[in-house]
Amino acid sequence: MRRTGVWIVVLLVVGMIGLAVMEGYVKPKLDRQAKQYEMDQNDPLTHHIEPTVAYASPYMGDAGNLINLNASLPFRNIGRTFQLYPEVLTAEIRYQTAAGDTEPHKLKEILLYNATANFVMIDNLEKLKFVFEDETVFVADRELVESWYGEEGSLSVLRDAEVWEEQVRDRLRDADYVRNFAERVLHLEEFQAANGQ
């Protein structure tokens, strides 16, 4: 009987130590790692494309897929709505922030990254509009994005994570590359025109 009491006390002490380690060390470490991962996923320079590949689709008409695709990309922390124009194979992403709230170079990085990801993952998407609350509208066309990366039909190879890192993510570290992409591939559109097609 006395031995049983000792074992109960030992097990209780071991349990309390285990709980203290879990609550004081393991959980905070896991929370820090989760926060760091979320920060990494919201920055095109550290984003991992692998989770995004799950949303690859031949058709842009699947609104749920498009929503999840963009929720896996940088700017994921900013509220947004979507408008699809399937008759012209166009998607519009309306961010609930002003374009001017993001540092201009970082905005170009994110738009380069997100536009490329949308065209890579959605085979028949032809045009993508990024609309901001300050009435700034950036437009990207598949043809221009394809020509930027190579040739027509070349985007599908970017679904491979290693190729993506080399051809898209790692090149974002070059400010001239980002500026040239923005000048040649993204174009500003009048806000009123963005309300139509």
Side-chain angles (χ1 to χ4, degrees), residues 16-153:
M16 290 173 65
I17 291 171
L19 182 63
V21 167
M22 181 65 79
E23 293 296 325
Y25 177 72
V26 175
K27 280 188 176 180
K29 182 178 179 181
L30 291 174
D31 286 344
R32 284 191 303 275
Q33 288 174 341
K35 287 177 185 171
Q36 183 62 49
Y37 178 78
E38 187 60 31
M39 286 173 37
D40 289 350
Q41 287 298 87
N42 205 38
D43 186 338
L45 297 174
T46 55
H47 183 268
H48 299 285
I49 198 67
E50 294 89 346
T52 304
V53 175
Y55 304 110
S57 173
Y59 307 109
M60 57 86 54
D62 182 350
N65 190 66
L66 184 71
I67 289 167
N68 288 320
L69 166 67
N70 284 280
S72 74
L73 295 171
F75 265 176
R76 64 200 282 132
N77 61 328
I78 295 175
R80 62 203 161 280
T81 59
F82 297 86
Q83 178 68 48
L84 300 180
Y85 303 100
E87 64 281 356
V88 290
L89 302 174
T90 300
E92 185 175 283
I93 304 171
R94 293 179 165 267
Y95 290 106
Q96 296 168 354
T97 188
D101 290 346
T102 304
E103 186 271 320
H105 180 76
K106 182 56 76 175
L107 179 64
K108 290 173 188 171
E109 279 180 7
I110 291 171
L111 294 179
L112 179 160
Y113 195 91
N114 289 4
T116 302
N118 274 273
F119 288 118
V120 166
M121 302 303 166
I122 302 174
D123 295 340
N124 74 338
L125 181 64
E126 290 297 323
K127 184 180 283 190
L128 183 62
K129 296 181 181 186
F130 299 103
V131 182
F132 294 87
E133 286 184 337
D134 58 0
E135 300 185 0
T136 303
V137 181
F138 292 95
V139 180
D141 294 294
R142 173 176 291 279
E143 185 177 316
L144 292 174
V145 173
E146 283 180 336
S147 67
W148 181 259
Y149 289 102
E151 57 191 54
E152 186 176 334

